[in-house]
Amino acid sequence: MQRGKTISGDQARKRRKIKNALTGYSFIIINVVGVFIFWVVPLIFSLILSFSKWDQSQGLAGIKIIGFENYVKMWSDEWFRVSLVNNIKFTVLYVVLLLVISFFVALFLKEKVIGKKLVQLGTYLPYVVNVVAIAAVFLALFSRMGPISAFFKFLGVEDPPLFLNESKYALYAVTVICVWQALGYTAMLFLAGLINVPEDLYEAADLDGAGWRHKLLHVTIPMLRPTTFFITVTTLINSFKVFGLINIMTNGGPGTATTMLVYNIYRTAFRFNKMEFASAQGMVLLVVIFIISIIQFRVQNRKYEEM
Amino acid sequence: MKKNYYKKQRLGTVIRTVILWGFMLLCIFPFLWMIGASLKKEPDVFQTPFTLFPDYLYLDNYAAVWGGKYNYAQMFGNSVFVTVISVVVAVILCCVAGYGFARLKFPGRNKIFILYLATMMIPGQLLMVPKYLMFREMGIYNTHWSLILPACFSIYGVFLMRQNMQQIPESISEAARIDGANEWQICFKLIMPLCKPAIITLVILLFTWQWNDYDNALLFLQDKDLYTLPLGLTYFMDETGLKYNLIMAAGIITIIPIFIVFLVAQKYFIGGLTAGSVKE
């Protein structure tokens, strides 16, 4: 009697456990399958392509694995090299400008300001507007007759350059537009960090008779390190993903002046139909982002251990 | 001494206000110019001396863009269709999966979730090529489904909903279970209403991403009749050439819906995007 009871108790528990597991899976299954189809499968497909040579006339059967050839060829490809160099130049400038400007905007916004809300909304606005509208308006602003030229003429520059049409300036013009677009967002991240700095640290510094510069260097900046780190990482990653603006405004030009990684992948794949070569370049992008993410993960974990 | 201190503070406020307002005006100048140009007649767009707004209102630009041969109304409709369907489906799926990961126990849950999070690292642009090829094979290339289907599965959304649902005490679910409710009922009737702020944030995020999506539309749509607004705007720019008054009117039309949502729900907007910094 006693034994039979425990067995059926076990069975009931087992059955309940299976039922619970099935319920759990039923909740996540659609999403997991979706993510698998639209992220993991393309990733694997891209990885295979990057190691292949593809005779597209035979359809998918024309894919032949050839090893590392695409990866080797890449480094002697002029376009790829230029796109990498341009992208690094862009990244450095973009990250530095964005961090410095948005940090000071946030610093000001933390103090008493009249119409603070409106200032926040205004600086944030470019971040929510689609890239095509932004490209359209800046093409107009930068055009020969446009307000930017007019402004330089007003300052006394006789024949102001068309910044987007000259290789010397085009990359900088694009950088400025990208910084402008992300500014409000980064400033908001900084502001959130600044608000979390305990007020008594400033009071203690006041008691020591510290000036604003001392407070900035020895209280604000050190306390803001986690925020700054987070912003740097996301900005860094985003700087390797610029595409729409380039494709609409400059087509990577003039010449190769504004060709960056993602634009070059697009160009290689969809203008020259070299899907395998584009995939290999895409893998470089993945590796770059992967390394940045790993560093982020390590640093953040170290912080938890220190705590 | 004290009086001096206050005076100094007030001066600081004034200086900061002036600088920030100047900066903010510089930030919104392109949009002001856009509005101004969209209300001008073509020859007046680049008037000298420089004027931001015309002293008349020329609304014909909007009429020309909206109907007639440019038919922006149709693209607007396409954008609404694609955005609404994908956001509604994605939000429901994110809530359900978030509930599964946060409040149900099953073998392998945490491992699956970590793998799930890892996919968040994959940059969307890397998948341009394989997705294009796949969608052609799947037969959804050059249909709205090529935009809708991938957008139905938001990795970030699941992450956000899981975070929020974990914070709701388990005792609430227990009480409902004792009353005989099953997990689906608990999820939809009990937990989701409690996560309303997070759901609003998610709706706004997904809406913004989808409404503004240019990359996918560029890759996967070919027929002009299917174009969504951002892609339509590029087409429009090629088509009209240098008629900036029309282009700006078209641009303003693409911005208005986002702008309204932005104003109405700014709290969720800024909070959500700041928390949602994982994606671009």
Side-chain angles (χ1 to χ4, degrees), chain A residues 28-297:
Chain A
I28 62 165
I29 187 75
I30 302 179
N31 235 296
V32 169
V33 169
V35 168
F36 187 76
I37 294 175
F38 293 109
W39 273 266
V40 181
V41 171
L43 182 69
I44 296 169
F45 188 23
S46 188
L47 194 65
I48 295 172
L49 265 182
S50 75
F51 288 107
S52 316
K53 195 173 181 68
W54 185 13
D55 178 7
Q56 287 184 39
S57 61
Q58 293 177 42
L60 292 182
I63 298 175
K64 296 245 154 30
I65 308 263
I66 53 161
F68 283 92
E69 200 183 302
N70 290 322
Y71 287 92
V72 176
K73 217 165 61 182
M74 199 154 70
W75 301 100
S76 54
D77 181 73
E78 199 53 44
W79 280 88
F80 174 71
R81 274 162 52 181
V82 167
S83 73
L84 199 61
V85 171
N86 280 342
N87 214 144
I88 290 170
K89 263 196 235 169
F90 169 80
T91 297
V92 172
L93 204 63
Y94 174 75
V95 172
V96 171
L97 277 179
L98 190 56
L99 257 76
V100 170
I101 300 176
S102 54
F103 174 73
F104 281 103
V105 170
L107 211 55
F108 277 23
L109 272 176
K110 197 201 156 209
E111 308 296 324
K112 203 173 158 218
V113 168
I114 302 158
K116 186 185 279 192
K117 195 103 220 175
L118 211 63
V119 173
Q120 282 187 0
L121 284 180
T123 44
Y124 203 86
L125 186 60
Y127 189 69
V128 301
V129 171
N130 71 79
V131 68
V132 186
I134 285 173
V137 70
F138 274 98
L139 279 174
L141 294 180
F142 275 115
S143 68
R144 188 174 301 281
M145 300 291 293
I148 292 175
S149 274
F151 179 71
F152 277 97
K153 272 180 203 149
F154 172 75
L155 288 182
V157 182
E158 216 153 89
D159 191 19
L162 291 172
F163 293 98
L164 284 171
N165 299 12
E166 287 188 32
S167 334
K168 267 193 294 190
Y169 302 118
L171 191 62
Y172 300 113
V174 169
T175 312
V176 168
I177 299 171
C178 289
V179 170
W180 165 80
Q181 201 193 355
L183 241 174
Y185 168 65
T186 344
M188 249 20 94
L189 289 176
F190 267 127
L191 187 62
L194 279 173
I195 288 168
N196 285 330
V197 177
E199 201 53 45
D200 48 347
L201 289 180
Y202 290 109
E203 280 159 20
D206 273 336
L207 286 180
D208 292 344
W212 67 269
R213 225 172 59 202
H214 188 88
K215 279 191 266 184
L216 182 67
L217 289 176
H218 296 280
V219 180
T220 310
I221 290 179
M223 287 306 287
L224 224 53
R225 209 181 294 150
T227 311
T228 315
F229 178 73
F230 172 76
I231 297 174
T232 313
V233 168
T234 28
T235 317
L236 212 58
I237 291 178
N238 286 341
S239 75
F240 284 100
K241 293 181 176 174
V242 189
F243 168 68
L245 209 60
I246 307 286
N247 192 44
I248 302 162
M249 290 183 82
T250 66
N251 276 312
T256 55
T258 54
T259 302
M260 289 191 249
L261 274 184
V262 172
Y263 178 74
N264 195 45
I265 293 172
Y266 171 78
R267 188 181 148 274
T268 311
F270 297 101
R271 299 260 165 85
F272 298 100
N273 206 22
K274 290 194 269 184
M275 300 290 179
E276 322 90 295
F277 200 44
S279 294
Q281 293 181 21
M283 289 301 150
V284 174
L285 180 72
L286 182 68
V287 170
V288 169
I289 288 172
F290 190 70
I291 292 172
I292 299 172
S293 303
I294 294 283
I295 295 173
Q296 176 183 30
F297 188 73

Side-chain angles (χ1 to χ4, degrees), chain A residues 25 27 31 39 42 111-112 114 117-118 124 127-128 130 180 185 188-189 230 234 241 247 282 290 293, chain B residues 16-17 21 27 30 93 96 99 107 116 121 125-126 130 153 212 214 254 258 266 269-270 273-274 277 280:
Chain A
Y25 291 131
F27 268 81
N31 235 296
W39 273 266
E111 308 296 324
K112 203 173 158 218
I114 302 158
K117 195 103 220 175
L118 211 63
Y124 203 86
Y127 189 69
V128 301
N130 71 79
W180 165 80
Y185 168 65
M188 249 20 94
L189 289 176
F230 172 76
T234 28
K241 293 181 176 174
N247 192 44
F290 190 70
S293 303
Chain B
R16 274 192 300 272
T17 304
W21 274 80
C27 282
L93 289 180
V96 169
Y99 184 85
Y116 202 80
M121 237 168 29
Q125 287 97 338
L126 171 69
F153 308 99
N212 288 344
Y214 160 73
T254 69
I258 285 280
Q266 33 167 303
F269 225 107
I270 294 183
L273 287 179
T274 321
S277 38
E280 37 187 55

Side-chain angles (χ1 to χ4, degrees), chain B:
Chain B
M1 179 73 191
K2 199 143 201 188
K3 209 170 155 192
N4 216 341
Y5 175 75
Y6 281 121
K7 217 169 164 184
K8 214 171 147 189
Q9 278 229 315
R10 213 175 313 139
L11 187 70
T13 306
V14 170
I15 293 174
R16 274 192 300 272
T17 304
V18 169
I19 294 177
L20 279 180
W21 274 80
F23 186 76
M24 187 268 277
L25 288 176
L26 200 65
C27 282
I28 61 169
F29 173 77
F31 300 116
L32 296 178
W33 190 85
M34 217 172 167
I35 296 170
S38 75
L39 297 169
K40 286 176 183 170
K41 287 178 187 147
E42 205 197 328
D44 295 343
V45 171
F46 295 118
Q47 222 168 17
T48 39
F50 175 78
T51 45
L52 197 51
F53 295 106
D55 45 17
Y56 55 87
L57 287 182
Y58 190 65
L59 291 169
D60 287 12
N61 290 332
Y62 286 92
V65 169
W66 187 254
K69 78 169 169 165
Y70 297 124
N71 205 0
Y72 229 57
Q74 191 185 16
M75 292 173 191
F76 198 89
N78 290 338
S79 266
V80 170
F81 176 73
V82 167
T83 309
V84 168
I85 292 194
S86 61
V87 171
V88 169
V89 175
V91 167
I92 293 172
L93 289 180
C94 285
C95 285
V96 169
Y99 184 85
F101 281 122
R103 307 184 68 87
L104 295 174
K105 287 202 177 66
F106 50 88
R109 182 183 74 173
N110 292 341
K111 281 191 190 114
I112 298 174
F113 188 68
I114 287 173
L115 283 178
Y116 202 80
L117 278 191
T119 50
M120 208 146 69
M121 237 168 29
I122 305 171
Q125 287 97 338
L126 171 69
L127 306 180
M128 287 196 300
V129 175
K131 261 159 102 181
Y132 168 79
L133 297 170
M134 270 173 63
F135 287 1
R136 276 200 323 198
E137 294 290 317
M138 289 162 75
I140 59 173
Y141 174 74
N142 199 24
T143 68
H144 282 148
W145 299 109
S146 60
L147 303 185
I148 295 171
L149 285 179
C152 287
F153 308 99
S154 165
I155 306 170
Y156 173 71
V158 173
F159 178 70
L160 182 77
M161 292 321 299
R162 175 182 172 267
Q163 294 293 77
N164 271 276
M165 288 177 169
Q166 266 178 340
Q167 282 160 14
I168 298 168
E170 187 56 30
S171 55
I172 293 181
S173 296
E174 278 311 322
R177 273 183 207 121
I178 289 167
D179 290 343
N182 67 34
E183 295 298 334
W184 293 96
Q185 287 165 330
I186 298 174
C187 173
F188 280 101
K189 292 200 179 135
L190 205 60
I191 304 298
M192 273 168 68
L194 287 173
C195 292
K196 215 157 103 191
I199 292 176
I200 296 175
T201 302
L202 184 61
V203 168
I204 289 170
L205 275 176
L206 296 175
F207 171 76
T208 315
W209 289 338
Q210 189 69 348
W211 187 266
N212 288 344
D213 178 28
Y214 160 73
D215 300 9
N216 289 311
L218 172 73
L219 291 174
F220 305 139
L221 296 183
Q222 211 168 22
D223 288 347
K224 210 188 124 238
D225 290 345
L226 296 176
Y227 281 6
T228 49
L229 284 177
L231 190 62
L233 187 54
T234 57
Y235 171 78
F236 192 77
M237 284 158 72
D238 295 337
E239 192 81 338
T240 53
L242 293 170
K243 287 184 184 151
Y244 279 116
N245 53 336
L246 293 181
I247 296 175
M248 293 308 137
I252 293 286
I253 292 174
T254 69
I255 298 176
I256 284 174
I258 285 280
F259 187 68
I260 291 171
V261 177
F262 180 57
L263 284 188
V264 173
Q266 33 167 303
K267 188 176 80 182
Y268 297 102
F269 225 107
I270 294 183
L273 287 179
T274 321
S277 38
V278 201
K279 205 170 161 174
E280 37 187 55

